[in-house]
Amino acid sequence: MNVLSQITLQYALDNIVDLVVITDMKSVIQYVNPAFLKITGYTAEEVLGQKPSIQKSVHTTADTYRQMWEVILAGGWWRGEIINQKKSGELWHSNLSISQIRDDQGTPFAYIGISRDITEMKRLEQQIFDMGIEAIYMLAMAAEAKDNVTGSHLQRVRFYSEAIARELGLSEQEAVEIGYSSMMHDVGKLHIPDAILQKTGKLTPEEWNEMKRHPEKGAAILGEKSFFQTARDIAACHHEHWDGTGYPAGKRGTQIPLCSRIVAVADVFDALTSSRSYKNAWPGEVARAKISEGKGRHFDPKVADAFDQLYKRNVINDIMRKYPIE
Ligand SMILES: [Fe+2]
Ligand SMILES: [Fe+2]
């Protein structure tokens, strides 16, 4: 390496906005660049000779670090997001790339980590997500208000559905998506006349036929964008039954999207345990037995079993307590 390229390298490391950390093979820090000091709040004296783990927060799992080392030791670049801690204790989101540095013979002699502070980007991402959820909630509330159903019904159905999805082994991301999408299950009621929704007596066959159109109306309101696919499936199929006796299409078994089979259990359980103009609230145990009874008929047996497990472990009761029935 000639003098010029050495100067250029040092200059680059000292001046880039990304944080650079170089350690020896024992993970002892040999170099950090000014950007590192600026973001983390440490002085060079405080970090040189230490290990990068001084920045560790409890928010990055041991599993993430294990995967990181697997990739690095195999000679690759590990790239991922971790949450680190500054000297002050404040957390920051790091988009990190880390790898071994090898000599001409291919023998590793150091590690280099390059990270970017993405805290602000993460905050904005979260804000956009929260705004989306809020808009979904408001739209769902507008539909439910027509039916005198309260916001706490939506919250309970949301978190029952999320818990069932997790219990069935779906990923965290899928569970969360099924949860918030479930709030729009009855959005199609916006198109159903109040006279039908609020009628206390028995519906005439014509009125009932009109009522049964709320799933397709809901799916139509949710448009065609791919990010509402789960919400559309739930709106369209939450009244389908496992044995094919539901509406509107009479789909059966796995023809019914899993998200809809999940919300069907959550929605029915909540309707049973809530009081409506035509019925009193049922005790939780009685509603639970009703769900089990519907296994293989109204409900997907696996979903009903997952619900029962959650009930047994008090997860359902905890959600009920958190979002009480008004
Ligand atoms: Fe419905
Ligand atoms: Fe509902």
Side-chain angles (χ1 to χ4, degrees):
M1 196 183 275
N2 64 38
V3 173
L4 185 64
S5 65
Q6 264 182 309
I7 290 170
T8 310
L9 180 62
Q10 182 70 47
Y11 182 83
L13 290 179
D14 283 352
N15 287 283
I16 57 173
V17 293
D18 290 342
L19 295 74
V20 180
V21 178
I22 297 175
T23 76
D24 62 15
M25 292 306 286
K26 291 192 178 121
S27 291
V28 176
I29 298 176
Q30 306 295 315
Y31 170 84
V32 291
N33 72 342
F36 178 94
L37 301 175
K38 192 172 161 220
I39 303 282
T40 64
Y42 286 109
T43 62
E45 296 71 48
E46 286 169 327
V47 285
L48 295 176
Q50 300 289 329
K51 299 206 165 182
S53 55
I54 56 165
Q55 312 179 74
K56 232 181 195 175
S57 77
V58 293
H59 298 273
T60 307
T61 62
D63 215 40
T64 303
Y65 288 112
R66 197 184 41 72
Q67 284 170 6
M68 177 194 291
W69 279 108
E70 256 174 42
V71 174
I72 300 168
L73 294 175
W77 276 95
W78 182 85
R79 288 188 179 84
E81 288 179 9
I82 58 173
I83 300 176
N84 277 338
Q85 213 166 350
K86 299 184 180 185
K87 184 183 172 186
S88 64
E90 190 190 333
L91 298 174
W92 66 284
H93 289 257
S94 160
N95 189 335
L96 173 66
S97 301
I98 182 166
S99 162
Q100 290 173 333
I101 311 178
R102 291 158 184 268
D103 63 18
D104 295 345
Q105 274 75 50
T107 311
F109 65 94
Y111 296 110
I112 182 165
I114 303 170
S115 49
R116 180 159 292 189
D117 181 5
I118 53 166
T119 311
E120 180 59 11
M121 197 186 87
K122 285 291 189 192
R123 193 188 64 78
L124 288 173
E125 239 175 43
Q126 185 64 42
Q127 199 176 46
I128 292 168
F129 179 80
D130 291 346
M131 275 167 58
I133 299 285
E134 203 47 43
I136 285 169
Y137 182 69
M138 288 190 291
L139 176 65
M141 275 300 291
E144 298 287 8
K146 276 168 65 82
D147 204 6
N148 291 324
V149 170
T150 59
S152 72
H153 165 66
L154 296 179
Q155 300 288 12
R156 286 188 304 273
V157 171
R158 174 183 181 183
F159 293 110
Y160 293 159
S161 300
E162 202 180 284
I164 297 170
R166 262 190 217 111
E167 184 72 12
L168 288 167
L170 299 187
S171 73
E172 185 56 23
Q173 201 189 339
E174 287 170 315
V176 168
E177 186 182 350
I178 290 173
Y180 67 72
S181 301
S182 76
M183 294 198 289
M184 293 180 280
H185 63 277
D186 270 342
V187 79
K189 285 187 179 170
L190 284 170
H191 281 293
I192 307 296
D194 290 354
I196 296 179
L197 285 175
Q198 289 165 13
K199 187 169 173 182
T200 42
K202 208 169 176 292
L203 296 180
T204 66
E206 295 74 36
E207 288 168 335
W208 182 234
N209 279 335
E210 183 67 20
M211 183 68 167
K212 284 201 290 196
R213 298 189 64 198
H214 80 272
E216 73 176 92
K217 302 263 191 201
I221 288 174
L222 290 162
E224 287 174 356
K225 292 277 192 298
S226 62
F227 52 77
F228 278 141
Q229 185 59 50
T230 300
R232 261 191 311 274
D233 285 342
I234 291 170
C237 301
H238 69 284
H239 289 292
E240 299 289 4
H241 291 188
W242 182 254
D243 64 4
T245 59
Y247 68 88
K251 289 186 181 185
R252 60 168 65 226
T254 54
Q255 288 176 335
I256 308 163
L258 177 60
C259 54
S260 317
R261 286 179 258 145
I262 291 172
V263 175
V265 170
D267 190 33
V268 170
F269 177 80
D270 198 61
L272 293 175
T273 48
S274 305
S275 61
R276 296 280 156 93
S277 56
Y278 49 88
K279 67 172 260 300
N280 289 326
W282 293 20
E285 278 298 337
V286 182
R288 173 197 186 181
K290 186 81 182 166
I291 298 291
S292 292
E293 208 183 290
K295 226 167 99 170
R297 292 204 293 269
H298 188 159
F299 306 116
D300 175 347
K302 283 203 183 95
V303 176
D305 283 342
F307 178 83
D308 208 65
Q309 286 302 319
L310 292 166
Y311 195 96
K312 218 185 272 174
R313 299 206 309 271
N314 267 325
V315 177
I316 299 299
N317 273 311
D318 288 347
I319 296 169
M320 280 171 109
R321 253 197 303 276
K322 199 163 169 203
Y323 302 99
I325 294 161
E326 296 98 350

